[in-house]
Amino acid sequence: MTGPIVLPEPVWRAREDDHVTRMRRWTIPHQRRRSRGEKHPVLDFLFTYYSHRPGHVERWQPGPGVALEGRSAHRFLERKGYVETPDGVMLDPAGFTEGRARTAEFVLELLSATASRAPRLSCFGLHEWAMVYRESADEVRHSQLPLRLGSTGTDDVVESLEIRCGHFDAFRFFTEPARPRNTLRPARENQIEFEQPGCLHANMDLFKWAYKLDPFVPAELVGDCFELAADVRELDMRASPYDLESFGYSPVPIETPEGRAEYARAQAGFARRAAPLREHLIAHCQQLLAELKKVPATREKQL
């Protein structure tokens, strides 16, 4: 039986420092904006739609099966789920409960199904347009921003292009008049059937699936998924009907053939970038569930 990976104190502290520095590129500006009561239509999404708080985004953890050496590791004992062992401080495997296992099973099934499909690159970001279709200026989600083409021009784009959104958590925000225009009918109960690796929201959601298993996912993997989500979110909003020039974002004008081609190229790039992260999460879920099966029956009843 193999033992844990043992990290000397200088090694894990360097990894911790690197992760905190990396994540503070986003967390510190967000916290400063929030203290001033400022809204950011692109970046707030990373901390409001997703429920992982800035302090948790910054927090480093080694993941399961890793023991941390040194006196500094004792501060991890202040967190729930860490124990001291002869090898060092590490996550208690008993903390991977049946509830967490059910989450891991769902994530594994969803991501495996998504990874099995070819990317579809023909949606052109119209979900954001469908979210404001036939709404007045004061009713749209980001009412502080002007629409690049105005309300009428925005509606004309929705009516002139085919909408093929298969992501339920985008589709559920469509306006009522926009819903019948979607050629697909995603729902929570058929989410696994519809998600595909070209979808911007499916790729942003890798961050959600990583932190849902926190702290049983290494912080570096959570950080990789967060960075992907941040970059994808920028394209998501640049291709939206909103005018974001005042925030420094140039539009991807999907109402034109050139804009749609630009969007599809960027979408394909994100699909390639997301693929190894999705595979890492799949492998991680498989490992977590395999380890759970090794827990003795008497202990399993306590989970």
Side-chain angles (χ1 to χ4, degrees):
M1 182 176 178
T2 59
I5 298 170
V6 179
L7 296 183
E9 186 171 7
V11 173
W12 69 257
R13 290 197 65 170
R15 284 178 55 181
E16 181 181 44
D17 289 345
D18 288 345
H19 175 76
V20 172
T21 300
R22 177 189 183 194
M23 293 297 100
R24 282 182 175 172
R25 173 185 167 191
W26 288 278
T27 58
I28 288 179
H30 173 74
Q31 290 168 322
R32 287 173 178 169
R33 287 192 302 270
R34 188 172 58 180
S35 69
R36 297 190 296 263
E38 297 177 3
K39 292 183 177 181
H40 196 293
V42 178
L43 300 178
D44 284 353
F45 178 88
L46 300 169
F47 302 100
T48 54
Y49 176 80
Y50 295 115
S51 59
H52 213 43
R53 296 192 298 272
H56 289 172
V57 171
E58 290 182 9
R59 187 172 62 189
W60 182 81
Q61 72 266 351
V66 178
L68 307 179
E69 288 187 327
R71 293 182 61 182
S72 296
H74 289 168
R75 57 184 161 84
F76 283 81
L77 297 173
E78 299 172 6
R79 302 184 190 177
K80 184 178 179 180
Y82 284 84
V83 294
E84 189 164 16
T85 74
D87 295 300
V89 175
M90 60 187 300
L91 276 172
D92 185 351
F96 190 71
T97 62
E98 289 291 348
R100 290 184 184 274
R102 286 191 293 272
T103 299
E105 287 169 350
F106 172 78
V107 173
L108 175 59
E109 185 179 6
L110 176 67
L111 299 189
S112 297
T114 304
S116 72
R117 300 179 179 120
R120 192 178 70 246
L121 308 175
S122 58
C123 68
F124 306 124
L126 281 164
H127 56 276
E128 286 289 342
W129 298 69
M131 293 177 192
V132 301
Y133 179 62
R134 291 191 180 177
E135 286 201 330
S136 62
D138 59 344
E139 290 178 318
V140 300
R141 290 170 58 216
H142 299 290
S143 57
Q144 77 276 23
L145 296 172
L147 297 175
R148 289 192 296 107
L149 306 180
S151 295
T152 301
T154 299
D155 292 349
D156 289 344
V157 171
V158 173
E159 293 168 0
S160 67
L161 297 172
E162 182 182 59
I163 304 176
R164 291 182 54 82
C165 180
H167 194 276
F168 173 70
D169 283 314
F171 177 67
R172 67 190 178 97
F173 290 107
F174 280 25
T175 65
E176 285 302 321
R179 285 173 172 263
R181 293 186 169 275
N182 195 23
T183 59
L184 303 176
R185 289 292 176 268
R188 184 66 70 203
E189 56 269 20
N190 61 20
Q191 182 177 4
I192 291 173
E193 299 172 28
F194 275 92
E195 294 213 0
Q196 54 90 15
C199 173
L200 293 193
H201 278 264
N203 291 330
M204 283 192 284
D205 280 353
L206 292 176
F207 169 53
K208 175 172 66 175
W209 303 129
Y211 75 68
K212 285 287 188 182
L213 294 169
D214 182 89
F216 284 87
V217 173
E220 289 86 353
L221 180 53
V222 179
D224 288 342
C225 293
F226 180 90
E227 283 192 338
L228 174 65
D231 292 343
V232 172
R233 174 61 177 173
E234 182 176 326
L235 174 64
D236 191 37
M237 289 301 286
R238 288 180 61 215
S240 78
Y242 298 105
D243 185 343
L244 293 162
E245 292 279 6
S246 62
F247 287 86
Y249 299 99
S250 60
V252 176
I254 58 91
E255 67 274 14
T256 69
E258 296 78 12
R260 292 193 290 276
E262 179 183 355
Y263 182 91
R265 285 193 298 271
Q267 189 180 19
F270 284 127
R272 290 191 294 271
R273 181 173 159 190
L277 298 181
R278 185 175 286 107
E279 292 298 334
H280 288 167
L281 284 171
I282 288 170
H284 198 71
C285 287
Q286 290 171 333
Q287 181 180 358
L288 287 172
L289 292 168
E291 290 297 322
L292 181 65
K293 293 178 181 178
K294 299 178 183 178
V295 177
T298 55
R299 193 175 188 182
E300 192 173 48
K301 294 179 181 178
Q302 301 172 6
L303 298 184

